[in-house]
Amino acid sequence: MNEFVETLLDLHWHEPKSSYDVVIVGGGGHGLATAYYLATRHGITNVAVVEANYIGSGNSGRNTTIIRANYGIPESIRFYQHSMDLYKTLEDDTGCWIMHNTKGLIWLAHTESAMRSERARCQLNTAMGTETIMVDPAEIKQLCPQIDLTGSGRYPVLGASHHVGASTARHDRVVWAYAQGAMRLGVHVLQNTPVTGLLMDGDRVTGVKTATGNISAGVVMSAVGGDVTQFAAHAGVRLPIRTHPLQAFVTNGYAQGFGPIISDTELLSYVSQTARGQMLIGAEYDRQQSFSRQSSFDFLQSCATKVSYLLPFLKNLRIMRQWTGRCDVSSDFSPVMGFTPAPGFVITTGWGTWGFKAIPAGGEAMAELIATDTTPEIIEPFSLNRFATDHSMADQGSTGTR
Amino acid sequence: MTDISDGQPQVEVRSSATPAGRIVIDNQPIEFFAGDTVAIAAIRAGQHPATGGTLCLAGDCGNCCAIVDSTPWVRTCQTKAKPGLAVLRQPAVGAPALNLTPPKSAVSSPIAAVIDVRHINADVIVVGGGASGTAAATQASADGHTVTILDANEGNEVVGIYAGPTVIVRTPEGMRHFHAHEVIVATGAADLQPACEGNLSKGIYTAGAAATLAETHIELDNALTVTSQPVRIVADDNGWVSGVVTADADGNDVLSDCNSLIVDLGHMGRDLLSRMTDERAVTIVGPAAEHYPLPPCPTSGIVCSCSKVTVEDLDGVWLRGFNELELVKRAALFGTGTCQGGVCMPYLRSFVADRAGSVPEPFTARPISRQLTIGEASAGAYADNFRMSPLHDEHLKLGAQMDRFGGWWRPWNYGDVLGEYWAVREAVSLGDVSTLGKMVVSGPDVVEVLERLYPNNVHDIKVGRSRYVLLLNERGHLLDDGMICRESETRFVLTFTSGGASFAEMWVRDWVETWGLDCHILDRTTSLAAINVTGPLAGELLRRVGVAEPPKFLQHRHETVAGVPCHIMRLSFTGEASFELHHPVHRSVELWQTLMAEGRALGIKPHGLQALFGMRLEKGHVIVGMDTELDSSPRRIGMEWAVKMGKPYFVGLEALKRVEPLPDHRRLFGFTMASPAPVEGAPIYHDGTIVGHVSSSFDSPLLGKAVMLGWIKREPFPDTVTIDGRTATVSAPPFYDAEGRRARA
């Protein structure tokens, strides 16, 4: 066997019931984490997580697994730092090996204006308790000996912000760890159960329609990714969300030899080595909006080019697989969590390119919101009504997108 | 019942042929013959090209992968041997080292310049030159199509079929991107591999591999063919097959000695490539489209040789609730290696079918089908050049440190930021502002267009005068800023920021089209250069180069300066008297050199962006994108004066009206404090809480203190705050020459 075969987790499946206190639509990280925290923190276990396919089949199984908190606005830094803290203890909390590995994230700057942005990032991160420090080219070379500091003559490295606590974890295992924890306490996880609509009583959401029957619920939470605008429309809820494909690729596996996560504020690409030794490479989302998961060669070509400027050794590595996920991007590039105008219908969305890192904190906060019927302070800035009240949380510069 | 027959040894007939050269495997030279692949040359020399495992010699499995010419994970059965080729075996356990040495050709060279890339328009592409491919090609040809056959055996490895359909092909000559009308996938069938204990031994060949060896006249030593799944394969101490255990009619194990084992277990459709695409113009023919029966459920041994997954592993995850094919795959990492499920998929499906009672679909196939390097993928990518002002070389001659800003190379400083600052404040200085967006708009409806585009009034700008304006988007958020200069009743010149110019051009054009108004647009951003002559002696310098009466503040006019036709705009960003000289790019060097020469006696120095940013901050001028955010409205940056809410319409008016009654909770303020200036981005505290951040800061040499712009995002807005542990005072800009006397002087 290979050393990465899963040998610890145990998933207990249940027969579906026709009614639950809480029905969570979407069996990805956010949905399952919410169920886990409902069960573990609030003793609410009469919960179903309804998944159209298999658990983790959406963006939870398609992301590049980077966990970071080096955002540009205090509300986001605090939220993502809390998520990082929860990730650090997740293996102890769940008893699962999620391959959590703190490696540090280096955001390279090639211009004075990019240096200025990174210095600002360090200032605000440090003030909010997140360790992000400026590093000079010599320090960058020490952290990543493979880097070409001239950027192949085109993108000279002036410096970088080094987000020391950034980490990665194996995406599937995070999903399974939360699933196992929730299922052990009696949460039902229903796979291959596409939700086709919502049960409504006036403007109140009272359950979900599925291909195999209706399920009534005290509260319905949408943890849907990709099709969220269509799904929320069932409840008459309009979301300021657009969906873009996001692509990535991996090489074959190599012995461990690439320590940090290298990212680039101008080229908008990032490179890390997975626990299995593959080089995992991604870039910003496709400019064109689409619900498609088809991969493109244009992406492969442009992304391969970008990372080759800075890490020429990559040119000699073979690409094994590319894939595509879907990003729900809000108009201010921050997530949307909390109540909606439809009673009984709460939502966690707008996860763009930054959803994986938010799974623990997002799940914890949404569980508290459902359990207490009150918005937790940490996610209050991310409420849907911020768009109506002109309180948008603009932070595009921290999302790795353009 | 197991059918065991003797292998049919081939007679070596090539004994008289001469070898074509030598390759080196693990530092040991071996001979090869013309046409040999690396794998075949190794087998010919009595070796396994890797460390073990059944060989298919068809590019399906990953069992022959090695490090070829310092690239790991190369299928040696798809790699032609050539003299001197260096091959290293990868470790049997673990992975090859991550190459720390870039390939020689790669260091600081244009990206992948050595790889030839061609884009080819094609009619019909047939992937696969076997029986089904040839038949399909013949038919298509008979139907009047021009057909291109791509066969991996000839070195044309199809990487993937993408939207278009575009077929990406890796060939010995380089990368080929075929843009086809139609693609026919005729990839045929692959051999099933053995799934039993001992299947990672050396000396095991699929029936297809054995046929390939026979064609190349390689005689296998003491070969035995099995046609059903062996119970186990037995190997000697060196890992070479020494026998195979099969079950007889009564179910008893029977050991048969052999030195080579040929497994003939049937086939599976070679469908990875076709399953990766959902393009409509792709058809699948022949064995690739067939549904072959699944093999019996495996009972022992490695079933996924790339990831070394055993039947026990599958059972382990299955019993712990990973109860569907995709979950089993992910929990065991089955089929996630080189072959991407290409040869192991039937066993996974057969396993799940056995345990679950129904046959699952194969897991999702994702590109790519045949591997290519990151260098090969990037080959042919086009990278736009960064833009350069016509004065670029002049800046370099003056020792400028250049920086890219807003898509252009610009002087960051000329090595003496303080000297540049004082030249502007006390004498005269030149700044290269060629990068500003410049647009001429004219026509009968031009005033109406500009009134709709800009939130400020436009109709009352007099001919020969100019006005500072904001540009808003439909949400009422700041897009850009610039100047409007009126040249006649129906003609204006607009300027935009360097970074915002190209977007602004699109923006203006689109709105003019949307409104259907009669207005002509001429973008002169790159046809005009511009030099800002600034400082208390700027007017004097202009007089010395022939401008008898320089324009007054916010005036503009066309006049010849030092023999160069210029549009002179009097304004001020630095805070001193400033004259922007817009002129044809081909006259720019001459004008710059004349101004520098004539200004020498006045103490002229050019200034870079670094000094400029400080000087504009002393005046409190906002830089869009540095001090503003994605959602900055005029109110938030304290520029309500530049918005006339009483106008009937302008872009963004509806949005501003919607938020007007809402409480304002964030605003850009000016601050001053004792030097040193805090780092830009420093948090702003009030009562121990972060309430915002500094967006720009500067140690003013003239004022002897730090001046700043910064955001406060919490009400009520305080009068004093703490920055960098020190007290700072909220102070309305400008911090310097508040009355604007110097700009007007």
Side-chain angles (χ1 to χ4, degrees):
Chain A
M1 77 185 261
N2 76 66
E3 61 183 302
F4 302 111
V5 172
E6 220 306 306
T7 59
L8 297 172
L9 283 155
D10 222 339
L11 304 176
H12 300 274
W13 305 96
H14 301 86
E15 286 302 312
K17 300 192 297 183
S18 60
S19 172
Y20 295 91
D21 293 340
V22 180
V23 166
I24 296 169
V25 183
H30 280 276
L32 291 163
T34 303
Y36 172 85
Y37 290 113
L38 276 172
T40 55
R41 299 277 175 88
H42 306 284
I44 297 173
T45 57
N46 187 23
V47 175
V49 178
V50 185
E51 165 56 44
N53 208 317
Y54 59 94
I55 56 172
S57 54
N59 294 330
S60 295
R62 291 163 193 272
N63 64 85
T64 48
T65 79
I66 296 168
I67 300 164
R68 62 178 175 89
N70 58 341
Y71 279 71
I73 55 177
E75 295 86 348
S76 291
I77 301 168
R78 180 174 63 153
F79 174 78
Y80 291 105
Q81 180 61 46
H82 180 58
S83 209
M84 279 176 70
D85 293 343
L86 290 174
Y87 259 121
K88 272 182 213 157
T89 58
L90 192 58
E91 293 188 345
D92 289 341
D93 294 346
T94 61
C96 302
W97 181 38
I98 60 164
M99 302 184 183
H100 185 261
N101 186 359
T102 301
K103 355 175 111 169
L105 170 67
I106 295 169
W107 272 19
L108 299 168
H110 308 296
T111 63
E112 293 293 344
S113 50
M115 286 291 284
R116 177 183 178 278
S117 299
E118 293 319 294
R119 280 193 293 265
R121 182 181 311 287
C122 292
Q123 287 283 314
L124 207 52
N125 282 203
T126 304
M128 293 301 295
T130 292
E131 191 179 1
T132 309
I133 53 174
M134 289 305 286
V135 283
D136 64 24
E139 292 168 311
I140 295 166
K141 189 78 183 171
Q142 272 192 336
L143 290 162
C144 180
Q146 292 96 337
I147 199 162
D148 175 357
L149 289 172
T150 75
S152 296
R154 184 175 165 90
Y155 294 100
V157 175
L158 302 189
S161 67
H162 183 209
H163 181 39
V164 179
S167 59
T168 59
R170 176 137 184 94
H171 49 12
D172 287 333
R173 293 201 180 196
V174 172
V175 171
W176 302 334
Y178 279 120
Q180 171 184 270
M183 289 158 107
R184 277 185 178 165
L185 292 172
V187 170
H188 290 192
V189 178
L190 314 176
Q191 296 192 115
N192 301 309
T193 310
V195 171
T196 54
L198 291 171
L199 301 174
M200 304 289 291
D201 179 4
D203 62 353
R204 182 175 190 85
V205 174
T206 59
V208 299
K209 299 176 189 170
T210 80
T212 47
N214 293 345
I215 304 173
S216 62
V219 176
V220 172
M221 177 174 114
S222 166
V224 170
D227 302 310
V228 64
T229 42
Q230 278 80 339
F231 183 66
H234 288 303
V237 172
R238 189 187 75 238
L239 295 174
I241 299 274
R242 57 183 203 267
T243 299
H244 292 262
L246 175 67
Q247 307 193 44
F249 69 92
V250 286
T251 66
N252 295 95
Y254 298 88
Q256 292 297 322
F258 190 84
I261 306 160
I262 295 290
S263 186
D264 194 291
T265 55
E266 180 168 352
L267 292 165
L268 298 175
S269 53
Y270 40 94
V271 179
S272 66
Q273 189 174 23
T274 68
R276 296 171 69 193
Q278 303 164 331
M279 298 306 294
L280 174 51
I281 298 168
E284 85 264 52
Y285 54 65
D286 292 5
R287 193 151 293 196
Q288 187 162 356
Q289 299 172 32
S290 170
F291 294 115
S292 167
R293 283 174 176 164
Q294 278 299 302
S295 298
S296 75
F297 192 77
D298 293 342
F299 159 77
L300 208 56
Q301 186 173 43
S302 74
C303 187
T305 305
K306 289 172 176 183
V307 297
S308 299
Y309 284 122
L310 295 156
L311 299 166
F313 84 100
L314 290 174
K315 290 189 210 176
N316 221 24
L317 306 191
R318 287 195 138 199
I319 299 166
M320 190 167 71
R321 181 173 69 251
Q322 66 175 129
W323 67 91
T324 304
R326 299 185 295 192
C327 293
D328 301 316
V329 184
S330 71
S331 55
D332 61 2
F333 298 86
S334 287
V336 177
M337 283 177 275
F339 296 106
T340 71
F345 185 61
V346 301
I347 197 155
T348 178
T349 184
W351 289 114
T353 63
W354 43 91
F356 178 72
K357 63 184 71 68
I359 286 172
E364 184 191 54
M366 288 307 292
E368 184 183 336
L369 177 139
I370 292 168
T372 63
D373 202 29
T374 308
T375 303
E377 200 246 335
I378 193 168
I379 62 165
E380 199 281 327
F382 303 111
S383 301
L384 177 58
N385 69 3
R386 71 178 184 268
F387 300 101
T389 58
D390 198 25
H391 274 62
S392 64
M393 305 298 295
D395 192 18
Q396 185 177 10
S398 303
T399 59
T401 58
R402 184 175 283 146
Chain B
M1 178 174 163
T2 306
D3 180 11
I4 301 176
S5 58
D6 288 329
Q8 299 293 313
Q10 298 291 320
V11 179
E12 177 61 74
V13 295
R14 200 190 278 257
S15 51
S16 61
T18 49
R22 287 175 170 182
I23 60 172
V24 181
I25 302 185
D26 282 352
N27 300 317
Q28 180 197 350
I30 63 169
E31 289 176 339
F32 70 89
F33 289 86
D36 278 0
T37 62
V38 170
I40 286 183
I43 295 165
R44 196 190 291 286
Q47 300 184 16
H48 189 288
T51 52
T54 307
L55 296 174
C56 69
L57 301 184
D60 291 313
C61 70
N63 291 340
C64 68
C65 282
I67 303 168
V68 177
D69 255 355
S70 74
T71 298
W73 298 109
V74 176
R75 282 178 167 121
T76 54
C77 77
Q78 302 295 300
T79 309
K80 290 284 182 223
K82 58 183 179 188
L85 192 70
V87 179
L88 290 170
R89 288 191 179 84
Q90 296 180 185
V93 178
L98 192 62
N99 188 2
L100 295 184
T101 318
K104 280 185 217 70
S105 59
V107 185
S108 296
S109 67
I111 290 297
V114 292
I115 299 168
D116 182 54
V117 181
R118 287 186 202 170
H119 288 258
I120 300 159
N121 288 316
D123 184 4
V124 174
I125 294 282
V126 176
V127 184
S132 61
T134 307
T138 306
Q139 183 61 51
S141 189
D143 292 345
H145 293 287
T146 308
V147 182
T148 307
I149 300 179
L150 301 171
D151 195 314
N153 292 322
E154 290 166 8
N156 299 315
E157 296 185 275
V158 174
V159 170
I161 303 170
Y162 294 90
T166 298
V167 183
I168 306 294
V169 190
R170 184 179 179 276
T171 79
E173 292 78 39
M175 297 300 299
R176 297 292 178 263
H177 301 196
F178 286 96
H179 305 280
H181 283 123
E182 195 189 336
V183 179
I184 299 171
V185 178
T187 40
D191 289 342
L192 281 175
Q193 299 234 336
C196 66
E197 220 175 286
N199 60 354
L200 292 191
S201 307
K202 291 180 269 196
I204 314 173
Y205 307 90
T206 66
T212 301
L213 293 174
E215 283 164 25
T216 50
H217 309 290
I218 292 176
E219 186 181 344
L220 291 175
D221 175 35
N222 185 22
L224 193 68
T225 298
V226 295
T227 57
S228 66
Q229 195 68 265
V231 175
R232 69 178 173 276
I233 297 165
V234 186
D236 65 18
D237 291 346
N238 296 320
W240 283 91
V241 169
S242 61
V244 59
V245 176
T246 51
D248 69 9
D250 301 324
N252 299 317
D253 287 357
V254 178
L255 173 66
S256 313
D257 290 337
C258 64
N259 298 110
S260 305
L261 180 66
I262 298 166
V263 284
D264 186 4
L265 302 178
H267 299 92
M268 55 182 292
R270 194 180 278 137
D271 60 358
L272 265 189
L273 181 66
S274 51
R275 287 198 296 115
M276 284 171 191
T277 179
D278 67 352
E279 283 296 288
R280 281 188 298 272
V282 175
T283 49
I284 309 151
V285 299
E290 271 180 44
H291 294 284
Y292 287 85
L294 290 179
C297 178
T299 54
S300 72
I302 300 266
V303 273
C304 159
S305 58
C306 299
S307 300
K308 306 281 186 288
V309 180
T310 64
V311 177
E312 291 73 30
D313 293 333
L314 296 184
D315 256 326
V317 298
W318 183 268
L319 292 172
R320 285 180 291 101
F322 292 85
N323 61 359
E324 25 190 298
L325 182 126
E326 286 278 2
L327 289 179
V328 173
K329 170 205 165 187
R330 286 164 174 269
L333 298 175
F334 186 102
T336 59
T338 303
C339 94
Q340 290 289 293
V343 296
C344 50
M345 182 82 76
Y347 287 117
L348 181 61
R349 293 178 70 198
S350 156
F351 171 86
V352 173
D354 181 78
R355 301 300 192 271
S358 63
V359 178
E361 288 299 307
F363 60 70
T364 314
R366 292 163 170 172
I368 52 182
S369 167
R370 289 295 180 98
Q371 295 193 349
L372 75 171
T373 64
I374 288 176
E376 287 165 335
S378 67
Y382 176 73
D384 218 354
N385 274 324
F386 305 122
R387 291 195 283 180
M388 282 188 247
S389 125
L391 297 169
H392 192 83
D393 289 346
E394 296 302 306
H395 303 317
L396 294 181
K397 276 190 247 168
L398 290 163
Q401 181 198 330
M402 303 300 286
D403 181 49
R404 280 187 292 112
F405 192 87
W408 294 81
W409 281 110
R410 303 188 66 181
W412 180 242
N413 61 52
Y414 296 86
D416 179 13
V417 180
L418 205 57
E420 295 163 33
Y421 170 89
W422 286 118
V424 176
R425 287 282 178 254
E426 297 191 330
V428 61
S429 175
L430 301 186
D432 180 2
V433 290
S434 302
T435 60
L436 288 173
K438 310 169 209 75
M439 190 187 294
V440 181
V441 286
S442 59
D445 294 337
V446 67
V447 173
E448 179 64 18
V449 166
L450 299 180
E451 287 286 4
R452 294 190 195 185
L453 271 177
Y454 292 108
N456 212 332
N457 285 329
V458 176
H459 65 271
D460 59 346
I461 301 174
K462 294 189 177 69
V463 173
R465 304 281 299 184
S466 52
R467 181 169 289 165
Y468 173 82
V469 282
L470 302 176
L471 192 64
L472 307 180
N473 64 17
E474 300 96 324
R475 291 179 178 175
H477 298 154
L478 216 60
L479 271 181
D480 205 4
D481 65 352
M483 299 296 295
I484 298 184
C485 304
R486 189 164 205 166
E487 301 208 295
S488 75
E489 285 306 311
T490 56
R491 181 181 161 102
F492 292 77
V493 170
L494 316 178
T495 67
F496 303 92
T497 63
S498 306
S502 61
F503 181 85
E505 201 241 354
M506 179 182 76
W507 184 257
V508 175
R509 278 189 195 284
D510 285 357
W511 279 116
V512 168
E513 287 303 316
T514 301
W515 296 324
L517 291 173
D518 193 352
C519 174
H520 312 284
I521 296 164
L522 176 62
D523 189 323
R524 305 210 64 189
T525 300
T526 51
S527 60
L528 292 180
I531 296 169
N532 184 26
V533 185
T534 181
L537 303 180
E540 171 59 21
L541 176 57
L542 286 195
R543 274 185 283 272
R544 289 189 182 198
V545 292
V547 182
E549 187 65 30
K552 300 272 185 295
F553 188 58
L554 293 182
Q555 288 181 348
H556 66 98
R557 68 165 178 268
H558 291 265
E559 188 170 336
T560 299
V561 181
V564 176
C566 286
H567 184 191
I568 309 176
M569 300 176 190
R570 172 92 188 254
L571 40 83
S572 182
F573 193 51
T574 62
E576 307 299 334
S578 303
F579 303 86
E580 273 183 21
L581 310 180
H582 293 224
H583 56 278
V585 280
H586 64 284
R587 306 291 300 275
S588 198
V589 171
E590 157 195 354
L591 180 61
W592 174 275
Q593 288 177 348
T594 306
L595 290 168
M596 285 298 289
E598 291 296 326
R600 193 166 300 141
L602 301 174
I604 197 167
K605 269 178 189 287
H607 64 272
L609 286 177
Q610 207 176 352
L612 180 67
F613 288 166
M615 290 183 288
R616 66 87 200 183
L617 187 51
E618 290 176 331
K619 291 297 293 178
H621 293 311
V622 165
I623 292 185
V624 176
M626 273 170 65
D627 299 300
T628 65
E629 303 184 333
L630 195 65
D631 57 355
S632 294
S633 60
R635 176 168 73 167
R636 286 177 175 164
I637 61 167
M639 285 203 187
E640 286 155 302
W641 55 266
V643 177
K644 305 296 176 225
M645 292 297 282
K647 282 171 60 165
Y649 175 83
F650 59 84
V651 176
L653 177 63
E654 282 171 318
L656 292 182
K657 276 188 175 160
R658 186 181 76 80
V659 299
E660 200 173 22
L662 298 175
D664 186 19
H665 59 280
R666 60 180 76 167
R667 188 165 284 196
L668 189 71
F669 287 96
F671 305 88
T672 58
M673 67 191 276
S675 290
V679 176
E680 294 182 340
I684 298 175
Y685 291 87
H686 183 64
D687 287 343
T689 310
I690 295 180
V691 295
H693 69 275
V694 174
S695 61
S696 301
S697 69
F698 182 57
D699 266 316
S700 168
L702 199 97
L703 303 172
K705 61 182 177 181
V707 295
M708 291 160 278
L709 288 174
W711 285 93
I712 293 183
K713 299 187 174 180
R714 189 163 302 182
E715 289 176 290
F717 299 129
D719 295 328
T720 60
V721 293
T722 305
I723 303 172
D724 195 21
R726 296 173 284 146
T727 300
T729 310
V730 175
S731 161
F735 307 108
Y736 165 65
D737 185 25
E739 302 77 25
R741 289 201 192 95
R742 299 182 69 88
R744 289 179 175 81

